[in-house]
Structures are given as structure tokens and as C-alpha cells.
Amino acid sequence: MLAFYLSLAESPEEKSKIEEIYHQYKKLIYHIAYSKLQKQELAEDAVHDVMLAVIGGIKKLQDRSGEEVKAFLCLVTRNVAVDLLRKERRRAAEPLEDLPLAGGLDPQQQLGARAIAEYIAQMSPIYRDVLELTAYYGFSAKEAAALLKITPATARKRLERARSLLSAYLKEEAYVG
Amino acid sequence: MLDESMLKGAFEQYHQFLVAALPSAEDLEEITLSDRLERRMERLLRRQKRIYYPLINTALKRAACIAGAVLITGSAVAIGVGGAKEEKSYFTYYVYDEYVSVNFINTELHPDTLRVISQKKIPGFLPKGYEMVEDRSDTNMTELIYEGEGYDCFYYAQYPNGSSAGGSTENAEYKRIRINGNEVLLFIGKDVTQLIFNDGEYLYFISGTLTKDEIVKIAKSIE
């Protein structure tokens, strides 16, 4: 059964926000994509695809700070670039690298948010991304799956694994501490 | 058990690390995006402002509450020579909370009939200022998007027989009229008008920022 409904979609404020995000961050998105794809045309395709993700997720981004929007764009751009690489039938020579952290991590280990932040930074992106999208940005597992170009079942498994890794880390730290 | 507020705080700190490592606006100054991308993005940004975007299948989500089902027998569609005295098709209304779903059933359609578009039909009439901007058609459906001036636009679709279509009754009146001998469902909302009918071969759907007269003229001109 084909059923469709003409939706009066986003509010004017959300539509403006989408434009604002594009004009403010288009070069950043391109830069991140190009660093993975090394081809202008592909990197520009990535910009387009990232903006599609922004349009789809605008309700979750509407009231976010610039820093939060940037972090979201980094996450999505990285995944879009990987997806484009797959489509180009190239295999990444190395696993996805995290973006370098300025000044390195604070070596001091402590429990609480900072300790978790450090662990998150070292976590494999395949687990971190789905955890970030759900726990921080508020996307459902199904929405996160769509953004990450994976199946909902895979998203749920990765989320479970991410939480389990984090819980184990915290338990270990508490034990050591 | 993970403390969710601590987890959020952790991501905030992680974002600080991440963003601090990103190039500054000055660093990115040298990047020049191609005209091709800028044109493509302009179209996307313009299109996302349109009220038809997203034109997605949210009907089932909206149909959380089924208020009732009404079976209505439509008038006969003349298919064979000599006119039809027997009903060859009928349509059903499913009345949901904010939405009406219309299913066209062709009683002579063999269940194994391949649901393809063997003859693509497009509107011959376009309101002033409109042009087709996108053709998403394939063998199973004709799907065209037209844009007018400003934010005006409409969507046209042709589906194989046996398909169903939904019209929204939210803040809209709906009525049954006749066009070219076919019974038509017309939905007139504040910003959007929708029209659905079946001519015995295909199901047609038109939706957009059109007046009642415009949408009826478009439907009449389908050939």
C-alpha cells in the first residue's frame, strides 16, 4: 500500500537554521570530508549529503550551541565520507582515525565526566558515534542508524556494546581508584 | 548503570577537545567550493523551504488512531465496450484521526498483474509560472515535481492500479467531484490542495500549493 501525506514540515525558524548552518560551516564540512576522500568532487558530494542529514535532524539541532553543532557535523561528515568511500569501492588503508586533539589529553586520570570524556575520545568511532547521537543529541537508535548508514539492528548492537564498554571502564576505574 | 547526566557532561568535554582541534575560519578561508556545488546547494536549500519537503511516507505514523472504516462503493468505471453496468472498481475510505486513506480496488485486476506503468501520463496544463524541476519516475510509478514562483510547488504521481493513496483531512475539507467521468477526491486545506482519482488503469495523485481551479484543470489535462 502506498500511502503518503503532504507534511507541513519544519518551522520557518528551523528552515533558517539549516541555511545558517550551511553558510557558516560549509567549508569546515568540506575540509573534514576532503581529508578523508582526497577528491574535490567526492568531498563536495559529502557536503551535500551532510546537509541532507542536517535537514533530517534539524529538530535535534535547533537549540544547540555552535560547539555542539560543529561536533555533530564532524561526526556526520566522517560517516558520510566513509560511506562515499565504500561506494567508490575503496578500502580505507587504516581504520578511521579520530580527529587530533589539540594539546593532547590531560594525563590525569579521574572518575567523573572528565574520565569518561577521555575514554570516549579513545573509543572506536563505530561505538562512540551511535552513543553520541543517542545519549547526547537525543536521536533514536533508528534515526542514528539512518545517519550512520547502518541498519537499526546494527545500531542497537553497537549502542549496547558502547554502553557495556563504558560501564566496564567505569567499574575498573572505581576498582583501581 | 551509566549516569546519563555524567555521560552528557562527558560528551560536552569531548566536544571541547574535538572542536579545539578543528581548523579556524581563517584556516578555511582559502577553500573555494565549486559553482556546481553552490548551485546544487542552492536548489537543496530552496527546496527544503518548500512545504512538500519532506514528501515522505508518514501516513502510517499519523494513523495511530483509527476512528473507523467506511466502505463506500464508487461509481462504475467504463472499461469495456458498451459501457459498464457492473461495478468494476470501488474505493474504500479509512478514516483515521487526522487523515483519510483512500484505497482504489479494481475488481477485475488479477492479483498477479504486474504493477508497472505501461503508459506514462503527465499533465498537459500547468498554471502560469510553473515548470517541472524533477522527474523521479521509474517503471512502477510516475513522480514529477513542479515549481512555480516564490515557494509555490506541486507534486504529481501516477501509480499502477491497485495502489492506494492518502489524503489529509487535517484542517481541510474534502469532497467528491467528477472529472472526465471519473470520481475524484478533493482535499482543500489552508495551504495545500490534494486530489486523488483512479481512471480504471492508474491511480493519480496531485498535491501542492494550488487553488481548487488549478488542481482541477491539471487533473483534467492528464493524458
Side-chain angles (χ1 to χ4, degrees), chain B residues 1-222:
Chain B
M1 184 104 173
L2 279 176
D3 182 325
E4 292 303 313
S5 61
M6 195 183 290
L7 184 56
K8 277 194 174 162
F11 270 113
E12 277 170 12
Q13 292 200 27
Y14 166 68
H15 290 163
Q16 285 170 16
F17 301 151
L18 188 72
V19 169
L22 292 173
S24 65
E26 289 74 29
D27 294 334
L28 297 170
E29 204 54 50
E30 288 177 7
I31 291 177
T32 307
L33 301 175
S34 70
D35 289 343
R36 171 189 158 264
L37 175 65
E38 295 288 14
R39 280 195 304 272
R40 200 175 163 200
M41 292 310 302
E42 200 184 324
R43 279 199 302 273
L44 177 64
L45 291 172
R46 195 172 68 230
R47 206 168 293 156
Q48 67 89 18
K49 285 182 180 170
R50 306 272 173 168
I51 60 172
Y52 70 68
Y53 194 103
L55 195 65
I56 54 174
N57 183 1
T58 59
L60 293 176
K61 286 185 222 171
R62 295 292 295 261
C65 238
I66 299 178
V70 179
L71 180 68
I72 295 180
T73 303
S75 56
V77 175
I79 297 177
V81 173
K85 292 191 177 173
E86 294 172 3
E87 285 156 1
K88 297 192 190 302
S89 70
Y90 62 90
F91 51 85
T92 62
Y93 287 100
Y94 285 93
V95 182
Y96 296 87
D97 193 33
E98 296 168 1
Y99 166 85
V100 171
S101 167
V102 182
N103 302 287
F104 285 90
I105 313 294
N106 186 325
T107 56
E108 293 194 340
L109 186 67
H110 192 277
D112 293 335
T113 299
L114 194 60
R115 293 189 182 186
V116 294
I117 301 291
S118 52
Q119 186 189 0
K120 188 173 177 177
K121 296 192 179 184
I122 61 175
F125 167 79
L126 289 181
K128 189 181 170 188
Y130 276 84
E131 59 174 351
M132 187 177 68
V133 296
E134 197 169 342
D135 183 344
R136 299 185 196 170
S137 307
D138 57 32
T139 52
N140 303 113
M141 60 185 283
T142 302
E143 196 177 31
L144 306 173
I145 294 168
Y146 298 82
E147 289 183 355
E149 290 163 8
Y151 293 141
D152 288 334
C153 62
F154 75 89
Y155 167 90
Y156 164 80
Q158 172 196 6
Y159 295 101
N161 217 349
S163 305
S164 60
S168 168
T169 57
E170 187 181 8
N171 299 317
E173 60 163 308
Y174 71 98
K175 49 175 85 173
R176 290 158 65 180
I177 60 174
R178 295 198 81 84
I179 294 179
N180 296 341
N182 300 306
E183 189 146 8
V184 173
L185 270 184
L186 181 62
F187 299 80
I188 303 168
K190 182 169 159 274
D191 298 306
V192 172
T193 311
Q194 301 177 20
L195 181 151
I196 307 165
F197 72 96
N198 183 313
D199 66 0
E201 284 186 274
Y202 303 104
L203 174 69
Y204 303 91
F205 178 84
I206 306 170
S207 180
T209 55
L210 299 162
T211 65
K212 180 193 161 191
D213 286 343
E214 285 172 339
I215 205 169
V216 167
K217 274 188 185 166
I218 293 167
K220 276 185 180 169
S221 74
I222 293 170

Side-chain angles (χ1 to χ4, degrees), chain A residues 26-50 77 80-81 84 88, chain B residues 31 33-34 36-37 40-41:
Chain A
K26 59 185 176 182
K27 290 188 179 183
L28 176 64
I29 298 168
Y30 176 85
H31 169 83
I32 296 168
Y34 188 84
S35 71
K36 297 288 174 199
L37 296 164
Q38 296 297 306
K39 276 187 186 175
Q40 181 183 3
E41 200 173 314
L42 275 183
E44 291 189 346
D45 284 346
V47 172
H48 179 270
D49 290 356
V50 167
T77 306
V80 163
L84 284 172
E88 286 285 297
Chain B
I31 291 177
L33 301 175
S34 70
R36 171 189 158 264
L37 175 65
R40 200 175 163 200
M41 292 310 302

Side-chain angles (χ1 to χ4, degrees), chain A residues 109 111 115 119 164-177:
Chain A
Q109 295 265 332
L111 288 175
Y119 184 75
S164 145
L165 283 170
L166 208 39
S167 294
Y169 170 75
L170 287 172
K171 215 184 252 185
E172 189 184 315
E173 286 300 299
Y175 177 74
V176 169

